[in-house]
Amino acid sequence: MGASRGAVSAWALDGIPEIVPGDALAAVIGDALAASAEGVAAGDILVITSKIVSKAEGRIVHAGTREDAITAETVRVVATRPGPDGSLVRIVENRLGIVGAAAGVDASNTAAGTVLLLPLDPDASARALCAALRARFGVPLGVLVSDTLGRAWRIGQTDIAIGAAGMAVVDDLRGSVDSAGRELQVTIPVVADEIAGLGDLVKGKASGHPVAVVRGMGRLVTAEVDTPGARALPRTGEADMFRLGTDEAYAAGFDDGRAVAGGGASRPGPGSRPGSDAHPAGAAQPAGGSR
């Protein structure tokens, strides 16, 4: 992007009530912004928890079990492990191309017997919100729809962007030079995820503040609302270098080798790879985490 860096601030937006299906979310958020002491400034970026987008859009499912909803949202199974409580932890790719635990199906902060699915098209949701809020306030701003996800090889979770509009989702630094004059060839910070994580720090998980405002990153905000969104961020297909969990990849390779050799041995189960020190209950945590 090339612009100079300045101070960045972030805060949770007060005044967002409990959202129910059919609520005009842009109006609700707009009213809260209008009433806030900080107001709205050109270049502000709103980080909106996907949960309230899902609620407003009626993405509430009365499922017999949460597992049924996970299965319905799953495109591809990456890994399965027994969880600490004996349930099956599934790391899967969902229809949005996101790899994580439980396909993004959330059973928290929703009525008993129901689960929340992710928005059908988070980028489209972000575009609609961004366009409505720009029209109301007359300034360019960006919108991120965020969700909580674990990361491979890292414990815990952080928020990432699953929808975006009115802003760049990456800061492509390839072709620029570092402080030593060397050309950067692969450096592409995913600023949408970084800002989503910042928004989560001020929103919290259970404080009743599902929207954050980030100010000072206006260099990322674009004149157009319809920009490449967060759907462009997941690595899928041939770009995905880690399509299976370790034990699943080993088992698939074992089967392939047995087929070539003409059979004879039985396929090992998850966790039985020779020399593996993976903990069955915890192996899935880095990839997806709990929601």
Side-chain angles (χ1 to χ4, degrees):
M1 308 297 293
S4 61
R5 274 61 168 170
V8 177
S9 57
W11 60 92
L13 185 63
D14 292 324
I16 305 294
E18 179 65 27
I19 300 299
V20 298
D23 277 351
L25 193 56
V28 172
I29 295 173
D31 290 346
L33 285 169
S36 67
E38 295 84 1
V40 182
D44 283 353
I45 296 173
L46 303 182
V47 183
I48 303 170
T49 302
S50 64
K51 186 168 297 183
I52 65 169
V53 179
S54 293
K55 288 182 177 180
E57 295 179 355
R59 297 284 289 160
I60 302 172
V61 176
H62 295 268
T65 68
R66 180 169 178 250
E67 298 305 312
D68 296 334
I70 295 171
T71 298
E73 291 292 293
T74 295
V75 172
R76 177 175 61 88
V77 176
V78 175
T80 60
R81 299 290 186 275
D85 61 354
S87 63
L88 185 67
V89 177
R90 286 189 277 176
I91 305 302
V92 305
E93 178 185 339
N94 68 12
R95 53 186 174 68
L96 298 172
I98 298 170
V99 174
V105 175
D106 198 343
S108 64
N109 294 310
T110 185
T114 67
V115 293
L116 280 176
L117 310 182
L118 292 177
L120 193 62
D121 186 342
D123 282 333
S125 301
R127 287 193 297 269
L129 290 167
C130 187
L133 292 169
R134 285 189 179 200
R136 175 167 177 171
F137 294 104
V139 296
L141 51 80
V143 168
L144 293 176
V145 176
S146 68
D147 193 46
T148 304
L149 199 70
R151 290 86 24 86
W153 310 299
R154 306 283 287 184
I155 66 169
Q157 303 82 34
T158 186
D159 267 28
I160 67 164
I162 65 168
M167 61 172 290
V169 294
V170 299
D171 194 359
D172 193 344
L173 301 179
R174 292 174 297 181
S176 60
V177 296
D178 64 13
S179 58
R182 291 184 291 265
E183 181 178 340
L184 300 177
Q185 298 181 358
V186 296
T187 306
I188 311 175
V190 187
V191 288
D193 287 350
E194 293 176 325
I195 293 171
L198 172 58
D200 184 54
L201 287 177
V202 296
K203 287 185 300 178
K205 294 298 184 189
S207 65
H209 290 85
V211 180
V213 182
V214 175
R215 183 167 291 171
M217 296 298 294
R219 66 189 181 85
L220 301 173
V221 174
T222 58
E224 305 81 14
V225 169
D226 191 359
T227 53
R231 187 63 179 86
L233 296 176
R235 281 182 169 153
T236 58
E238 292 184 0
D240 182 0
M241 297 174 66
F242 311 100
R243 289 185 58 79
L244 291 174
T246 302
D247 291 323
E248 287 76 12
Y250 177 84
F254 188 93
D255 278 352
D256 288 345
R258 185 177 61 176
V260 171
S266 60
R267 173 174 175 157
S272 62
R273 176 170 56 90
S276 172
D277 60 355
H279 189 284
Q285 173 66 26
S290 61
R291 292 180 59 74

